[in-house]
Amino acid sequence: MNSWMPLKVFPAHHKLKLFHKYYGNNPTLSKLEFSSYIETIAAEISDNESDFDNLVTFLTTRNEQNCTERARSMARRKWLHDIQRAAETSSSSLEFVYKTVFQTLYKDSEAHGENKKISSSIALLRHNYHRPERGEYFLHYVACTLEDSPYVLNQALYRDMGVSFAVVDEGKPLHIIKVQEHGMVHIWNCHREKIDGSFLVTPLKDKHNRMFGVLGTDTLRDNCEKFFTTHEISFYQGVAKAFSIAYHHVRVRNDILKAVDSAILWLFNETENIETVTTYLAEPVADKDYVLCKTMTTEYDFEQGWSDVHVPPIILQRKDNYFRNYLFRCADTSEVVHTQTSKGSNVCVPLRDITGRALAVLDFDLGMQSQLMAHEYRALLKMLKILHVACDIIVKEAAGTPEKLISGSVLHLFLLGDQGQ
């Protein structure tokens, strides 16, 4: 087929004046142009039936391949979107994100990977303070598929172990087709009799191309020696990118919750008439709407406060919470809302992102007190001012500047505020 097609197609290019389209910025043919193009080629083919049969076979095969690729592409786009949705609806927990990543790999292997039995793990870079002689960093295995959890979960991989640090250094995927012949792959399960199979290590990078971990996938549990194809490797890179976005989304939410927790506990030392503070995170849903995720409740009890983090969070939808509409009004307007309920007074305060939209709502329950005392009100304003600064720093650092531990320094910010008064 390839030996005769260029010779026969070349006159058709000139006749239809389409040469520039194939080598220009827009190589797309309309339906009419494509039909005319094929008719011209067919007319130039000799009377030899085998030539015509080859043309029909070529076009049929290409159409089948395109249909298969489109179906595979659509399914994979949906699965990558599921990873993003898992982050947006899990509030401060990464467990659901890990689970969704592994489910995505399982589904893709079953549908587009010859039904390979795979194992997978996620390892994040950590500073190596306890064994510095083995390198500045190590890989901490924070998640893995269920079958491997007794051997892999919470393990530490150092630079002198295995091949994963080569991926960390180069920032490129590494595909080892035959693990048993490579000899440098670290096997966590020492009881495994056979190590037949392939191993793929995919780098995890943030939006600024900085390495923060690896995604490992292998076929060692598969009885047949199967390796990863080019389209699978490309998809796994897409999974790694989707996980990176999801991971940093959840991490920002976690840092914000830590900052809120520190700020509220400080406030409880300055006031007596705030009984409970409930933290709601705003998470997007379909139709450009959002839900409020009840993520943390902090209560004042016997001159001290304590926080309860809800995992999974309690989801509040607008249509089902008419009597809590003041929460959604606070998020909608991104303004403070004071309301009276049957149980007492509430003050709702939004925490805004860098665009001014509410990313969280703090619901201060004053109990039967209609308002705070003057010194309590000043303490609340001070707390909110510094909390907004801390959250602004967290969001901006996630958007581009080097990582810093902001949430742990909120109380330090309050001390600076005391010195400034």
Side-chain angles (χ1 to χ4, degrees):
M1 182 67 183
N2 292 335
S3 62
W4 61 267
M5 182 57 72
L7 296 177
K8 298 298 183 182
V9 171
F10 189 75
H13 273 290
H14 284 283
K15 184 173 181 180
L16 297 176
K17 298 181 180 180
L18 296 174
F19 183 86
H20 69 282
K21 284 197 172 185
Y22 278 94
Y23 296 94
N25 295 326
N26 181 21
T28 304
L29 294 176
S30 68
K31 291 182 179 180
L32 182 61
E33 288 174 328
F34 180 73
S35 176
S36 178
Y37 185 58
I38 296 300
E39 290 175 358
T40 304
I41 294 175
E44 294 173 356
I45 292 178
S46 65
D47 295 333
N48 191 337
E49 292 185 2
S50 63
D51 284 349
F52 190 79
D53 290 341
N54 286 337
L55 174 62
V56 173
T57 302
F58 172 77
L59 296 175
T60 303
T61 303
R62 289 290 298 175
N63 184 58
E64 291 176 352
Q65 290 175 347
N66 289 338
C67 290
T68 301
E69 291 173 359
R70 282 197 297 268
R72 186 169 62 203
S73 178
M74 289 179 60
R76 285 175 167 175
R77 279 199 299 267
K78 178 185 179 301
W79 294 333
L80 294 179
H81 181 70
D82 289 342
I83 297 175
Q84 179 183 349
R85 293 292 302 153
E88 294 175 347
T89 57
S90 64
S91 292
S92 60
S93 175
L94 277 168
E95 294 302 320
F96 189 42
V97 177
Y98 294 144
K99 181 179 179 180
T100 305
V101 168
F102 296 140
Q103 285 178 342
T104 295
L105 298 179
Y106 279 142
K107 291 176 183 177
D108 187 75
S109 178
E110 180 180 354
H112 310 298
E114 300 179 0
N115 201 24
K116 290 190 287 287
K117 292 182 180 180
I118 63 171
S119 299
S120 186
S121 61
I122 295 174
L124 303 180
L125 277 176
R126 308 291 194 201
H127 280 281
N128 182 15
Y129 297 116
H130 56 292
R131 303 191 68 177
E133 72 279 2
R134 302 190 69 177
E136 185 180 359
Y137 298 95
F138 69 94
L139 285 168
H140 177 213
Y141 284 81
V142 296
C144 65
T145 45
L146 184 61
E147 297 83 3
D148 304 287
S149 58
Y151 312 102
V152 178
L153 197 60
N154 286 323
Q155 293 285 0
L157 186 79
Y158 296 94
R159 179 170 288 275
D160 56 1
M161 301 165 59
V163 297
S164 295
F165 267 94
V167 176
V168 172
D169 294 337
E170 297 179 10
K172 298 179 181 179
L174 175 63
H175 183 202
I176 298 175
I177 297 179
K178 293 186 177 182
V179 173
Q180 67 273 24
E181 295 181 2
H182 191 274
M184 294 297 293
V185 178
H186 186 82
I187 307 298
W188 292 109
N189 182 4
C190 59
H191 303 292
R192 189 185 297 275
E193 295 181 359
K194 293 184 178 181
I195 55 172
D196 298 336
S198 296
F199 181 43
L200 174 66
V201 189
T202 309
L204 298 175
K205 304 177 183 179
D206 63 14
K207 64 173 63 177
H208 302 284
N209 213 35
R210 297 174 298 196
M211 291 288 305
F212 70 95
V214 296
L215 169 67
T217 312
D218 66 71
T219 62
L220 299 182
R221 292 196 304 112
D222 200 294
N223 294 327
C224 302
E225 293 189 25
K226 297 177 181 178
F227 55 89
F228 298 102
T229 60
T230 301
H231 68 80
E232 287 179 290
I233 296 174
S234 297
F235 176 63
Y236 288 179
Q237 289 178 276
V239 171
K241 183 176 181 179
F243 171 75
S244 174
I245 296 172
Y247 172 80
H248 288 92
H249 177 89
V250 175
R251 182 169 180 173
V252 168
R253 295 298 187 265
N254 268 314
D255 287 344
I256 289 174
L257 285 180
K258 291 176 184 178
V260 170
D261 182 54
S262 298
I264 294 174
L265 293 180
W266 177 88
L267 181 64
F268 280 167
N269 291 326
E270 304 293 321
T271 62
E272 297 180 356
N273 291 319
I274 298 177
E275 297 184 357
T276 304
V277 181
T278 306
T279 304
Y280 298 88
L281 293 178
E283 301 289 0
V285 292
D287 301 326
K288 297 183 179 181
D289 201 1
Y290 63 92
V291 295
L292 292 177
C293 301
K294 184 179 179 180
T295 308
M296 185 172 65
T297 302
T298 309
E299 297 189 12
Y300 182 80
D301 186 20
F302 299 108
E303 298 184 354
Q304 62 180 354
W306 58 274
S307 295
D308 181 20
V309 178
H310 306 289
V311 179
I314 301 171
I315 307 298
L316 274 65
Q317 297 188 15
R318 188 190 301 268
K319 63 179 182 179
D320 299 328
N321 290 272
Y322 178 79
F323 294 103
R324 295 184 181 179
N325 188 54
Y326 62 92
L327 296 172
F328 291 92
R329 190 164 72 250
C330 176
D332 289 340
T333 61
S334 195
E335 295 179 354
V336 177
V337 174
H338 188 284
T339 185
Q340 293 285 339
T341 67
S342 59
K343 298 181 180 180
S345 300
N346 290 71
V347 177
C348 296
V349 180
L351 290 181
R352 306 177 184 91
D353 61 15
I354 56 180
T355 66
R357 294 179 298 180
L359 57 85
V361 172
L362 304 183
D363 184 10
F364 294 86
D365 185 356
L366 307 184
M368 300 311 296
Q369 297 288 332
S370 59
Q371 60 184 5
L372 296 174
M373 299 177 66
H375 73 280
E376 293 176 323
Y377 183 70
R378 288 195 298 270
L380 175 61
L381 291 180
K382 175 184 175 182
M383 183 273 285
L384 292 175
K385 179 180 178 180
I386 300 179
L387 181 58
H388 273 102
V389 172
C391 290
D392 190 53
I393 294 174
I394 292 171
V395 173
K396 287 182 177 179
E397 286 187 347
T401 56
E403 297 179 6
K404 294 179 182 178
L405 298 177
I406 298 299
S407 57
S409 65
V410 171
L411 292 181
H412 179 64
L413 289 176
F414 281 111
L415 292 176
L416 292 178
D418 286 336
Q419 295 173 2
Q421 287 186 343

